[in-house]
Amino acid sequence: MPLNEKRWDKAFEEPLYKGWRNKYPFDEKTTLPIYSIDTPPPYVNSPIHIGHAVTYAMMDFFARFKRMTGHHVLFPLGLDRNGLPIEMAAEKKFNMGANEVPRKKFVQMCNQVLEESSEESIDSFAKLGISFSSWSFGTKLGDAYYTDSDTYRALTQATFIDLWNKGLVYEEKRLNNFCPGCQTTIADSEIERKEKDAFFNHVKVRVKETGEDVVIATTRPELLSTNAILIFNPTDKRYRHLDGKTAITPIYGHEVPIVADREAAKDFGTGIAYMSASAGDQDAVRFLRKRNIKAVQSVGEDGKMLPITGSLEGLTTKQARAKIIELLKEQGLLVKQEKIRHSVPICERSKHEIEFIAMKEYYLKQVEFKNTIKKLSKATPFYAPHSKQILNDWIDSVTMDWAISRRRVYATEIPLWYCKACSTSIVPPPGKYYRPWAEDPPVKACPKCKGKEFEPEMRVFDTWFDSSVSPLYILHYTDKPTFFKKAYPVSLRPQGKEIVRTWLFYSLLRCYQLTDQLPFDGVWINYHILDENGKKMSKSVGNVIDPHDIIKQYGAEVFRLWIATEGNITEGDLRCSSERIAGAGKFLTKLWNIARFISMFPDPPTKKPALLDIDTWILTELDKRIAEANKEFLNYNFHQPIMSLREFMWNIFADHYIELVKSRAYNKEGTFSKKEQEAALYTLNHVLDTALTAFAPVLPFITAKIMKDRCGKDVHEEPFPKQGTTQSTLSTVLLTTLDSVIWQAKKQAGKSLRTPVTIKELPQEIKPIEADFRAAHSIEGEIRYKKMKPEDVVISLSH
RNA sequence: GGGCCGGUCGUCCAGUGGUCAGGACGCCACCCUUACACGGUGGAUGUCAGCGGUUCGAAUCCGCUCCGGCCCACCA
């Protein structure tokens, strides 16, 4: 059946993607090998950005390819709805703090925000033609899921209970990263750094034994009350004589030791520094742990100074800093204030400066698993391989266990109660979703002291504690153990490089702790989409490209083709410009017209006819590309094979083969036999069908439409083409050069390409295809064949 | 300070030892040749960041340097 429309139109996409919405459900009873993708649930609160669009489209390449190679694909859609961003959105919307309203009310407020923002983001995915297993939210295998659903939270809690019972969780009071903005402890991985202006305050300190003054430099003078030690570098001659002496803390008069320590930098500040037991930064935290100095809190959980700081009590750290500077000035102890720029730790979400406060938190053991995770990392293939380094670097830098408890509201509750009488922890049985703050404990009396009064745990989990069990969630770890056993590990974990230290690391840790196995068969790491100038896209800069607009303007298919042709996102960042996306679309028109041309001829014979040499030649060329696609698609490399197929279709198949066999396909003058004509028709159709099938994972729309309109078949039900066995000896370079030489000769003479020519001698390789060649170039007269280069062919124009 | 990625025509990217270094977009010229002017044919444009080394031969391998981007560790 001939194609009617003159060119590909993005309007063709809508009925197609609508038709795919329920086309690829997951059947747990499948006998096919299972291929599962642990999709990264995007956060609902913000619309899908271009990076999501690109990476999800690529996951769709993988899913469609795997289906065509005989796999049953689990490709779930998930949305992440836990955590701070939702709380912050709710606080903003209702202009109320989370702590100002009853918990129940605040959870309702969060739910309302979620209600309003959830569905919109899915729309872009649908338009992109993503073949998710399901688009409806539910609890069946393959269903779309929310990370805050009761089922998901029940799984998170069940895994906590398991780890608790295995003795991998403990509670301890330690200096922790505390974000005054979020009012909660946060993990090291949630800390960013920011350059800030500050004053380096040079302060005199009296040495007790010698009576001399040394000058220390500090950016945090408000922590002087908890001064624990003065340090200088052992190689520093200026201070060597002070080793083992005693310093008297200014203002407070406490006596502290002076010691030599390698961590003191000779050339920084004055070379001698004080270390506060309340820790001014992460480095100090580590130092205190090393020297076994007991942490003393000087800043309260509300960010205000505690009584230990004397006259600073009740002030914020900022006010306290100003006040103590005044006090030091009054006493003549402030030598000078030097303006410096230094980096301070800030919370990656609220951007507040981190305070280090001693609080009791739950920890999950991870330090003792470092070597194990290193091994898991080693055993897991990464695409691209060099991305593994990001993970290994992070593993090496882990020095403390993971603080998993958070003092927030909209997240999975820690499922614990405590006996009021004897403080025994009450752990419920796994399998249900528990909200201790709203429910009674699972026991009537404390198993230890028979007490009947209980205190609920109010804290929640770090959201990565939820996300890190996504492989277990999508394969139904707890409720379908038989299926889980068959399908685990997940086939592929695709994710961004920026969450290697969180999502990937924690997933490996937790899934291993729970299952004693590698969670993934492979990890695919994507880099980022930058704007056309190579800058990171951000709302404040205003260089954000919305995938919605791209799809609206160019269509999803153009966008998908651009993704495959622009470069390789597993190798490095890619730049995105709408001009280049538009340029990619030209090939769709070309492909459409190739198909339209071929579709205008009568149907080819169903049985393969005897082919002419030139037919075998094009099949051989096609085979090379099919072989490459089969090999590279397996390694998640779509860029090269698609470029190569595109080049083949345009510059070899259309430009040379089609031009050369056109006359035979029409056979208007009866120059060719019916069999020969059929051979051309067969080859034209066969190449087209094969190429369309090979393009189908990347270009699902146009290939489906062409296939359907021409012969009623669904290209996505076809098996991926296998490499054929055709062997042709005809040289592609020779043939294309020769075409070119003749076209050029006609052009230079200002003649039409149909102008008859006489060519007395041609390279001998052309002899087997003489009839096609003669017809294509309108060659008249006798031709002799000999060994020669195509460039040396003499063309004489007949008229 | 450590790590990763990159530095190839005006622009964006391929190319990981072997003939004149490819493509796309853009540019120039000619052509509406009955699938396609979102096309065709042809053309211009590059000391492949720099220096040194390995090799018969290097954009490609090794070393150093410089320049971008990102991550980590950082300085009281």
Side-chain angles (χ1 to χ4, degrees), chain A residues 656-675:
Chain A
H656 294 277
Y657 180 77
I658 292 185
E659 292 304 329
L660 286 167
V661 301
K662 229 175 207 177
S663 306
R664 174 149 55 102
Y666 281 117
N667 202 18
K668 285 227 173 87
E669 279 127 55
T671 324
F672 296 89
S673 71
K674 178 122 196 296
K675 283 241 146 81

Side-chain angles (χ1 to χ4, degrees), chain A residues 17-27 37 39 56 60 63-64 67 72-79 119 122-123 125-126 129-146 473-474 476:
Chain A
Y17 74 69
K18 287 194 168 152
W20 295 333
R21 273 189 84 107
N22 298 310
K23 206 143 175 253
Y24 304 102
F26 190 79
D27 175 10
I37 304 177
T39 49
Y56 271 82
D60 191 54
R64 289 182 182 277
R67 270 187 217 110
H72 192 55
V73 176
L74 179 64
F75 187 15
L77 162 63
L79 289 180
E119 292 288 329
I122 307 175
D123 184 53
F125 284 153
I130 313 288
S131 57
F132 286 125
S133 299
S134 168
W135 293 80
S136 356
F137 290 86
T139 54
K140 292 195 304 292
L141 258 158
D143 274 350
Y145 69 92
Y146 294 130
Y473 181 83
I474 65 165
H476 289 235

Side-chain angles (χ1 to χ4, degrees), chain A residues 413-428:
Chain A
E413 289 82 356
I414 297 178
L416 290 174
W417 287 262
Y418 308 99
C419 171
K420 273 189 179 167
C422 70
S423 302
T424 298
S425 307
I426 310 295
V427 190

Side-chain angles (χ1 to χ4, degrees), chain A residues 33 128-129 150 183 256 275 346 415 466 557 627 630 643 768:
Chain A
L128 278 168
D150 288 4
Q183 283 288 308
V256 299
M275 283 298 196
I346 59 167
D466 295 86
E557 194 79 316
N630 271 294
M643 290 293 275

Side-chain angles (χ1 to χ4, degrees), chain A residues 543-585:
Chain A
N543 59 349
V544 175
I545 298 178
D546 185 344
H548 248 111
D549 298 340
I550 298 281
I551 297 170
K552 217 177 189 173
Q553 199 174 348
Y554 307 105
E557 194 79 316
V558 170
F559 182 61
R560 293 177 67 117
L561 179 57
W562 170 79
I563 291 166
T565 52
E566 182 69 32
N568 191 338
I569 201 163
T570 65
E571 294 290 341
D573 295 337
L574 281 191
R575 299 188 188 188
C576 173
S577 87
S578 41
E579 197 182 300
R580 300 180 55 72
I581 294 174

Side-chain angles (χ1 to χ4, degrees), chain A residues 4 306 399 477 525 546 562 600 640 654 665 704 748 753 759 786:
Chain A
N4 294 321
L306 296 173
T399 56
Y477 171 59
I525 303 289
D546 185 344
W562 170 79
M600 289 181 331
Q640 244 134 280
Q748 270 165 12
L753 295 180
I759 302 176
K786 66 171 204 179

Side-chain angles (χ1 to χ4, degrees), chain A residues 744-752 755:
Chain A
Q744 206 167 336
K746 291 186 178 180
K747 189 184 139 58
Q748 270 165 12
K751 302 282 184 185
S752 129
T755 312

Side-chain angles (χ1 to χ4, degrees), chain A residues 335-353:
Chain A
V335 180
K336 64 169 176 175
Q337 285 192 300
E338 190 186 339
K339 211 170 176 181
I340 57 160
R341 240 184 125 63
H342 71 158
S343 77
V344 293
I346 59 167
C347 169
E348 71 172 3
R349 296 191 201 277
S350 75
K351 310 295 178 194
H352 280 81
E353 273 187 55

